[in-house]
Amino acid sequence: MNQWIILFNKEMKEAIRNFKWIWIPLVFILLGIIQPVTSYFLPDILKNFGGFPEGSMLEFPLPTGPQVLAETIGQFGQIGVLVIVLAFMGIVAGERNSGTNIMVLVKPVSYVAYIVSKWLHMSLLAISSFSIGFLLASYYTFQLIESVPISYVIKGAVVYSIWLLFVTTLVLFFSVLFKSNAGVAALTLGITIIISLMSSITPDLLRWSPGMIASHSHSIFQSGEAGEYFWLSISCTIVLIILMIILSIINFKNKETVTHTT
Amino acid sequence: MNEILLELESIPWGLIAPLVIIQLILLVVALVDCFRHNNTNGPQWVWVLVIVFGGIIGPIVYFIFGRRND
């Protein structure tokens, strides 16, 4: 147990020195504030710059609270995921290239602890950034637009954070598998985009897919109830996360023992 | 002159202020790190320009691509 805490602290220290604990939460906070504020000012902006003919009486309805929250989740799903993937693409691959992991692994450190402590740290950073960003987003939505029942907001956010966990696990998995940072980032982003696109195009075929989570959290914001087959996609995602962690550990073990013996 | 002042007053500063403050924090942290960290990925002065003039994206791009971790 002791070794897990030490490895986790090492990750923590590295991320603090890299300022990851400052800039990633700040990016999420920015995204979370910008979305409600632009939705609030959208009618004004369109009126002033929309180029509508003089005297045309167009009324732009203010979006509802759940809509704004769903749009914020959409921003997190695009820019937020991009930032998380780019920030963590080198989590194993970068250490392997620079040789840091050899310094760690000459000590009697278990491979399981090495990978799992990395995963825990990444997920903690991603989830806390998301939570603080979303907290501010809902605060601004409540102030500017309208309030949404708080239990809906919390439920939706918890559901969405499972998708973020899936993304961080995917980064870790590819980072163990491949050498180049850019390859890791491209593959992870490609797969997350394909999964979410496919799930929105053919929702009937992909009821189980992790990409459905975002739409489930949207419907929770609207009505407090998730869509159909909610538990199926949640349990599938959790199983996939656990599988990917186990596969990363096995892969990492094989790669390291091969490089050590040759 | 009066029009400009009226226009400035109509901007809801209470809403914009947090954005400006966060942007400033990002900018200062990135600049401090850029000056302290001498092995940036590419020439240092280019990164200073990117951070200062890159808007919100500038500091983020620096943190992701500008630092070399060794």
Side-chain angles (χ1 to χ4, degrees):
Chain A
M1 204 58 224
N2 201 13
Q3 122 186 184
W4 292 59
I5 296 168
I6 294 171
L7 280 172
F8 185 80
N9 283 343
K10 175 220 159 234
E11 290 299 316
M12 202 72 171
K13 246 182 211 158
E14 196 184 339
I16 289 172
R17 288 216 186 110
N18 282 342
F19 296 104
K20 275 186 186 147
W21 273 97
I22 298 178
W23 70 266
I24 298 179
L26 282 181
V27 170
F28 274 84
I29 291 173
L30 272 178
L31 289 176
I33 298 179
I34 287 174
Q35 189 59 43
V37 171
T38 41
S39 313
Y40 180 66
F41 285 118
L42 199 60
D44 280 339
I45 295 170
L46 284 178
K47 213 178 276 167
N48 287 335
F49 304 107
F52 292 107
E54 197 76 21
S56 62
M57 295 292 284
L58 285 173
E59 281 297 312
F60 297 99
L62 215 57
T64 60
Q67 262 173 351
V68 177
L69 289 181
E71 278 164 13
T72 316
I73 289 280
Q75 291 289 323
F76 286 159
Q78 289 165 6
I79 305 174
V81 163
L82 179 76
V83 162
I84 288 177
V85 170
L86 289 176
F88 288 114
M89 59 190 176
I91 187 147
V92 176
E95 280 203 355
R96 200 189 281 138
N97 293 342
S98 66
T100 332
N101 64 345
I102 295 171
M103 312 250 272
V104 176
L105 290 169
V106 286
K107 292 169 184 108
V109 167
S110 83
Y111 295 107
V112 180
Y114 183 83
I115 294 289
V116 174
S117 65
K118 275 188 185 306
W119 181 80
L120 275 179
H121 172 261
M122 262 164 90
S123 308
L124 183 71
L125 179 48
I127 298 293
S128 22
S129 310
F130 165 70
S131 322
I132 190 165
F134 199 66
L135 184 78
L136 279 162
S138 35
Y139 175 76
Y140 267 74
T141 311
F142 284 18
Q143 293 291 321
L144 295 177
I145 292 154
E146 63 171 353
S147 55
V148 179
I150 291 183
S151 64
Y152 293 6
V153 175
I154 294 172
K155 249 201 248 167
V158 170
V159 168
Y160 190 73
S161 42
I162 297 173
W163 165 250
L164 285 182
L165 284 184
F166 177 76
V167 174
T168 54
T169 320
L170 208 60
V171 182
L172 181 75
F173 179 68
F174 284 126
S175 197
V176 171
L177 218 52
F178 297 104
K179 269 191 183 154
S180 102
N181 284 351
V184 174
L187 260 174
T188 317
L189 286 174
I191 287 184
T192 49
I193 290 169
I194 287 173
I195 288 179
S196 10
L197 264 184
M198 288 298 285
S199 311
S200 56
I201 296 172
T202 58
D204 290 338
L205 281 175
L206 292 165
R207 286 178 188 131
W208 51 271
S209 102
M212 297 303 291
I213 289 180
S215 69
H216 284 309
S217 63
H218 290 182
S219 64
I220 290 178
F221 293 142
Q222 290 284 359
S223 59
E225 297 287 326
E228 266 185 304
Y229 303 106
F230 168 71
W231 288 109
L232 182 69
S233 76
I234 292 288
S235 41
C236 261
T237 312
I238 292 173
V239 168
L240 276 175
I241 289 174
I242 295 170
L243 256 178
M244 280 196 292
I245 295 176
I246 294 171
L247 281 178
S248 319
I249 295 168
I250 295 171
N251 251 316
F252 187 66
K253 214 180 237 171
N254 288 342
K255 283 208 170 162
E256 288 307 313
T257 38
V258 167
T259 44
H260 278 290
T261 45
T262 46
Chain B
M1 194 62 206
N2 260 336
E3 274 170 25
I4 296 171
L5 279 179
L6 274 178
E7 196 72 3
L8 276 178
E9 265 169 28
S10 72
I11 297 174
W13 289 108
L15 287 179
I16 313 290
L19 293 176
V20 177
I21 292 168
I22 291 168
Q23 156 75 22
L24 275 181
I25 298 173
L26 272 177
L27 191 129
V28 170
V29 172
L31 273 184
V32 167
D33 185 61
C34 188
F35 282 122
R36 236 183 29 186
H37 211 78
N38 277 323
N39 56 345
T40 46
N41 210 349
Q44 200 178 13
W45 63 271
V46 175
W47 282 112
V48 173
L49 290 184
V50 168
I51 293 167
V52 175
F53 297 107
I56 293 174
I57 314 285
I60 299 169
V61 170
Y62 167 73
F63 279 123
I64 292 174
F65 299 107
R67 310 175 89 260
R68 200 176 287 161
N69 299 329
D70 355 77

